[in-house]
Amino acid sequence: MSKKKAAKPAPKKAAAKKVAAKSQTMMTENRVFKPSAEFSKKARIGSMAEYRRMHEESLKHPEKFFGREAKELTWQKPFTKVLEWKCPNAKWFLGGKLNVSENCLDRHLVGVNKTKAALIWEGEPGEKRVLTYQQLHREVCRFANVLKRNKVKKGDRVMIYLPMIPEAAIAMLACTRIGAVHSVVFGGFSAESIKDRVLDCGAKIIITSDGGYRRGAVVPLKKNVDDALKSGETAVETVIVYRRTGQDVHIEEGRDVWWHRELEYVDAHCAAAVLDSESPLFILYTSGSTGKPKGILHSTAGYLLHAQMTCKYVFDLRDDDVYWCTADVGWVTGHTYMIYGPLSLGATSLMYEGAPNWPENDRFWRIIEEYAVTVFYTAPTAIRAFMKWGDEWLKKHDLSSLRLLGTVGEPINPEAWMWYHTQVGGGKCPIVDTWWQTETGGHMITPIPGATPTKPGTATLPFFGVDAAIVDDLGQEVGKDEQGKLVIRKPWPPMLRGIWGDKKRYQETYWSEFDGWYFAGDGARKDKDGYFWIIGRIDDVLNVAGHRLGTAEVESALVSHPSVAEAAVVGRPDEMKGQGVVCFVTVKEGIATSRDLADELKKHVRKVIGPVATPDEVRFAAALPKTRSGKIMRRLLKQIAAGEVIKGDTTTLEDLSVIAQLAASGED
Ligand code: WTA
């Protein structure tokens, strides 16, 4: 992209919704926390001057900067060119050949890392397992051979639907070993969600387990897979089943095989496939503004480099760290920061299977104490739950091993930040509030812990190679403290390479709002120090407990119920979850509304999408408020949902037409 174009982007959508400029109540958060001299002295980047110098170099001379950083990966064949950019298609490290599993495993088998813990695992019922790099390597090679035995080839898609057990990491790494493309589906998604994703990515094989443990109960994973395949629409020929819980499951002859049985047929030697830098690595489905989740596609070298680099500079991971990322492997955070980043760097990554409040509210603190966790990465929604449960749960445990804390997933409110800082971090640990997305592959805006003075509630400054800006609808940078749209103006190594099977949607979703720039879908503002404050999504995507959920997805689940005529779904502020899901529903002629029907609809959404999407409230309306051109007045519904306009019995029929008329002016 030429500089000229970058300076004056053509606004493609003249009538784009105006972002509420200035109207946002400004947070007056003036507390500043500087990294301690002790932390800075040991950190890889120990001053703002150094951060600024590196950031400037990464933007002005990306070839030089990333060319140098990429030397820290193990290449089977060196790359010849750092970047080729024809918007919206980026290619990084052209001509290079490498293998992700080789970078995450084989190269650590020389020297002391060979016998170091790669994964420390604890199951919810309490079992413990440690896999050294050598052991993990062996398991990955064996399972890669199982995949080969089951006819999986380079480029084939492999669906993974597993609980948080080491086998999830083993299965993912085994795919990378042979060049297969994994697509992990979060265990909280339903049979229908699995089916949609299998159909979209064309997987012929699914790896699952009989079940998984969650808050003492067994999640019937295999049953969900059976239901997903029941209609016979998918191309799935093989299901590999890991025995986790031991409950009875249906085994379909000729289709289903047991993981442990398959291992009996293979040996532990499997050469790492020679793969191109741009070889597809994984597809991960995430919600967008339509009813159909997008298969975000990531490729090999740029992604791996960034995963490793951010673990090095943002988490400042060391040989003796015990690092714990609490995200599920079904989300991008689990991919980048539980598996690929830490393992590529040769670190020790802790994995815990279950809920934070099982058997009691102190499970996380128990784990931190027991394994002497040093770096802890979690979500604001979890922090708010811990706050609610009370400090006494922490007080029972020695958390003094912690040296660095991180958050991700949604804006963190200053109160939760302060609690995290004082109660968990004992006032001595820097906090890295990391803003990023499934699409961005890894951290984009984040403090550098030994350098950046932090303020509660801001993700602070862009990471290396990230040219972030906040602009108005015309693409002009907004002034200090004004709200605008967050854009990224240059390609970055781990950026998504597309939406699986949908080039047009890729272009339209991310690159058409501002020609040549990536539009993140978030609103943000910058303060006087240039720090980015993320306000949250400004598209039709909700962020519920750190999980992305498309309002259109929930709407289409609702209208698939025989009683529903029309539905509109909005978010409302929620103290614990960030946002709650409120559904406005009109029923078909002759259908009576009732509390029972509201409950039934909640269950229906849960069944169609999965427990992650369970509505907080279903409200019935005689008609949905619409503009003269027929668009649903979401802004009004949001106000109603938040209780700003009217409060009403949630199960009686609401006549929204009057308020709609009142609010109609200016909506069309
Ligand atoms: C939100 C998760 C504020 C944001 C890695 C983004 C955040 C969406 C932060 C992506 C943060 C993530 N501060 N908001 N530190 N981190 N978000 O794809 O709205 O599940 O667009 O990726 O989460 O969610 P996703």
Side-chain angles (χ1 to χ4, degrees), residues 280-338:
L281 179 65
F282 67 82
I283 301 166
L284 188 58
Y285 285 85
T286 190
S287 296
S289 51
T290 73
K292 193 173 173 265
K294 308 174 275 198
I296 302 299
L297 176 67
H298 280 287
S299 69
T300 299
Y303 171 83
L304 186 66
L305 173 64
H306 188 87
Q308 182 182 308
M309 255 175 79
T310 44
C311 280
K312 188 171 94 177
Y313 293 129
V314 179
F315 294 137
D316 202 46
L317 289 188
R318 304 292 168 155
D319 281 343
D320 57 354
D321 272 317
V322 177
Y323 159 80
W324 182 18
C325 163
T326 67
D328 192 280
V329 66
W331 307 111
V332 73
T333 310
H335 284 52
T336 310
Y337 294 113
M338 185 169 61

Side-chain angles (χ1 to χ4, degrees), residues 372-393:
V373 171
T374 54
V375 179
F376 180 59
Y377 191 37
T378 195
T381 188
I383 297 170
R384 289 193 295 267
F386 301 141
M387 282 171 80
K388 194 177 124 201
W389 296 339
D391 300 353
E392 64 272 19
W393 294 104

Side-chain angles (χ1 to χ4, degrees), residues 357-624:
N357 53 352
W358 187 265
E360 286 191 299
N361 291 343
D362 63 346
R363 185 64 180 267
F364 275 19
W365 319 127
R366 224 172 246 287
I367 291 175
I368 290 176
E369 178 174 15
E370 178 166 348
Y371 299 94
V373 171
T374 54
V375 179
F376 180 59
Y377 191 37
T378 195
T381 188
I383 297 170
R384 289 193 295 267
F386 301 141
M387 282 171 80
K388 194 177 124 201
W389 296 339
D391 300 353
E392 64 272 19
W393 294 104
L394 288 94
K395 299 237 160 72
K396 292 189 193 168
H397 299 282
D398 176 7
L399 306 182
S400 62
S401 57
L402 290 169
R403 65 176 196 90
L404 176 65
L405 304 173
T407 73
V408 60
E410 58 183 309
I412 180 162
N413 46 312
E415 198 196 348
W417 195 102
M418 285 306 300
W419 184 86
Y420 198 31
H421 176 74
T422 51
Q423 301 301 321
V424 181
K428 68 174 171 58
C429 303
I431 297 180
V432 288
D433 171 0
T434 59
W435 175 84
W436 60 293
Q437 308 177 299
T438 305
E439 292 87 340
T440 70
H443 301 153
M444 296 294 277
I445 300 178
T446 172
I448 300 293
T452 318
T454 52
K455 303 178 200 178
T458 163
T460 73
L461 296 165
F463 186 69
F464 307 132
V466 177
D467 183 17
I470 302 170
V471 298
D472 64 16
D473 292 333
L474 300 176
Q476 301 297 326
E477 278 199 64
V478 297
K480 176 170 72 74
D481 284 335
E482 275 179 41
Q483 189 179 328
K485 294 176 172 173
L486 181 57
V487 294
I488 312 294
R489 298 179 296 193
K490 283 190 163 68
W492 64 101
M495 62 188 265
L496 75 167
R497 298 303 197 261
I499 295 177
W500 183 257
D502 203 340
K503 276 196 174 134
K504 193 161 153 262
R505 191 173 175 197
Y506 172 57
Q507 163 76 41
E508 278 171 5
T509 310
Y510 302 108
W511 304 95
S512 67
E513 187 92 7
F514 304 103
D515 199 13
W517 294 354
Y518 172 85
F519 172 48
D522 276 319
R525 66 178 178 87
K526 251 197 230 186
D527 69 13
K528 63 177 177 21
D529 298 319
Y531 280 18
F532 288 74
W533 294 75
I534 312 294
I535 312 289
R537 304 291 306 194
I538 49 176
D539 51 10
D540 293 324
V541 174
L542 306 181
N543 191 327
V544 181
H547 300 154
R548 270 167 75 166
L549 192 61
T551 51
E553 263 175 272
V554 185
E555 285 162 8
S556 77
L558 284 164
V559 295
S560 72
H561 188 280
S563 301
V564 175
E566 204 178 13
V569 172
V570 294
R572 74 154 174 235
D574 184 288
E575 219 182 292
M576 297 306 291
K577 298 192 290 184
Q579 277 187 304
V581 182
V582 179
C583 312
F584 290 88
V585 168
T586 63
V587 288
K588 287 188 180 149
E589 272 306 306
I591 301 283
T593 62
S594 64
R595 245 177 233 288
D596 285 349
L597 182 58
D599 287 344
E600 190 181 318
L601 293 179
K602 284 185 195 173
K603 278 195 203 120
H604 179 70
V605 173
R606 206 180 148 90
K607 180 164 173 280
V608 175
I609 306 178
V612 275
T614 311
D616 292 272
E617 196 178 357
V618 170
R619 297 169 70 144
F620 296 108
L624 295 177

